[in-house]
């Protein structure tokens, strides 16, 4: 059928189909809200991690520079202040980056796994976040052996349960989860497109019947003349 006149694609029925839809652009070339939320949370985690690691390092490095520089000659007070700030800034960049990429990676993996589980199971529960936290914690600590792996699982689960509980509570106040809203909007859009397709199909049938009737009249007239 020509583009725009074919039957609308059916709703995803399996978990794998719903997973593929998470990373597929719509007709407006926009990614789903879940994928955008993952990107936003990764950026926020990076900023928070940088501040968490950078600010204490800045203060500590500046204080250490002041303590070490007693008796050192400076051109003036402004030169001494600038030197202290440069020392703190170097530590801010160095230690801020160390924390930033770790927190970003942890948050991104956690959100990808929890969002994927919610899409695959077609429901949002605390167990999804607990499993995502356990997987992420194990991934980060697996290089330390079995003991580190067990510790990572425990830490990730302890992080995932309250985080999931908070999100589920927020969704409860909103009346529906993100997955439920997406399913509802997808179903409503499908029903709308199906109704439009059926309407176009009925119009096409009427036009086809009219054309057939118009072609049949001359033949009937010629038959009467004979």
């Amino acid at each position: 059928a020509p583009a725009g006149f074919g039957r609308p694609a059916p709703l995803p029925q399996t978990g794998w189909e719903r997973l593929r839809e998470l990373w597929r652009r719509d007709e407006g070339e926009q990614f789903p809200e879940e994928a955008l939320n993952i990107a936003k949370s990764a950026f926020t985690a990076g900023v928070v991690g940088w501040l968490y690691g950078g600010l204490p390092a800045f203060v500590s490095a500046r204080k250490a520079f002041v303590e070490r520089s007693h008796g050192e000659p400076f051109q003036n007070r402004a030169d001494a202040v600038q030197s202290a700030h440069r020392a703190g800034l170097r530590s801010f960049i160095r230690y801020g980056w160390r924390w930033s990429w770790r927190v970003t990676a942890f948050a991104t993996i956690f959100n990808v796994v929890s969002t994927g589980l919610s899409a695959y199971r077609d429901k949002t529960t605390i167990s999804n976040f607990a499993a995502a936290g356990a997987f992420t914690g194990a991934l980060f600590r697996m290089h330390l052996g079995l003991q580190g792996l067990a510790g990572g699982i425990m830490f990730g689960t302890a992080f995932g349960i309250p985080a999931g509980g908070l999100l589920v509570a927020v969704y409860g106040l909103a009346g529906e989860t993100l997955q439920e809203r997406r399913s509802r909007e997808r179903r409503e859009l499908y029903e709308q497109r199906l109704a439009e397709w059926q309407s176009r199909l009925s119009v096409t049938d009427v036009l086809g019947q009219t054309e057939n009737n118009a072609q049949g009249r001359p033949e009937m007239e010629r038959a009467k003349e004979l």
Side-chain angles (χ1 to χ4, degrees), residues 106 129-142 145-161:
F106 187 94
F129 297 94
F135 175 81
T136 307
L139 191 64
F140 267 71
R141 305 290 292 181
M142 63 185 303
L146 291 177
Q147 186 175 358
L149 184 66
I153 292 175
M154 294 177 61
F155 169 79
T157 304
F159 170 81
I161 291 177

Side-chain angles (χ1 to χ4, degrees), residues 12-22 34 112-124 128 179 186:
Q13 302 297 325
T14 66
W16 292 113
E17 292 177 350
R18 288 189 292 270
L19 277 177
R20 285 195 295 269
E21 278 205 342
L22 287 178
E34 294 90 338
V112 167
V113 175
S114 60
T115 303
L117 286 174
S118 297
Y120 185 84
R121 301 177 62 190
D122 201 20
K123 61 180 180 179
T124 302
N128 294 344
Q179 186 65 30
R186 187 192 296 119

Side-chain angles (χ1 to χ4, degrees), residues 1-214:
F5 288 91
R7 184 183 180 91
L11 296 175
Q13 302 297 325
T14 66
W16 292 113
E17 292 177 350
R18 288 189 292 270
L19 277 177
R20 285 195 295 269
E21 278 205 342
L22 287 178
W23 318 109
R24 184 182 302 165
R25 296 186 181 185
D26 57 18
E27 296 177 352
E29 294 299 317
Q30 298 291 328
F31 283 104
E33 185 177 355
E34 294 90 338
L36 296 178
N37 288 340
I38 291 174
K40 292 177 183 178
S41 64
F43 176 78
T44 303
V47 173
V48 172
W50 202 302
L51 294 177
Y52 179 82
L55 289 179
F58 176 86
V59 175
S60 178
R62 190 173 182 276
K63 181 179 179 181
F65 178 85
V66 172
E67 293 176 351
R68 290 196 313 268
S69 62
H70 285 303
E72 293 186 9
F74 292 99
Q75 296 181 358
N76 48 49
R77 179 178 177 82
D79 182 34
V81 172
Q82 290 178 0
S83 297
H85 278 298
R86 284 194 295 269
L89 184 60
R90 286 193 295 268
S91 293
F92 176 81
I93 295 174
R94 179 182 179 184
Y95 292 98
W97 165 249
R98 287 185 179 182
W99 275 95
S100 179
W101 77 263
R102 288 178 171 86
V103 175
T104 301
F106 187 94
T108 302
I109 296 173
F110 174 81
N111 286 325
V112 167
V113 175
S114 60
T115 303
L117 286 174
S118 297
Y120 185 84
R121 301 177 62 190
D122 201 20
K123 61 180 180 179
T124 302
T125 62
I126 296 179
S127 60
N128 294 344
F129 297 94
F135 175 81
T136 307
L139 191 64
F140 267 71
R141 305 290 292 181
M142 63 185 303
H143 66 283
L144 299 177
L146 291 177
Q147 186 175 358
L149 184 66
I153 292 175
M154 294 177 61
F155 169 79
T157 304
F159 170 81
I161 291 177
L166 179 61
L167 288 176
V168 170
V170 172
Y171 290 147
L173 294 176
E176 60 181 354
T177 66
L178 184 62
Q179 186 65 30
E180 292 171 345
R181 178 160 61 87
R182 177 170 172 78
S183 298
R184 175 178 56 79
E185 292 175 350
R186 187 192 296 119
R187 184 177 61 256
E188 292 174 352
L189 181 60
Y190 173 76
E191 293 174 352
Q192 177 185 349
R193 290 178 176 176
L194 183 61
E196 293 174 353
W197 175 76
Q198 292 173 342
S199 176
R200 289 195 299 266
L201 188 62
S202 62
V203 171
T204 304
D205 291 340
V206 171
L207 292 177
Q209 185 65 34
T210 303
E211 184 178 356
N212 292 335
N213 293 337

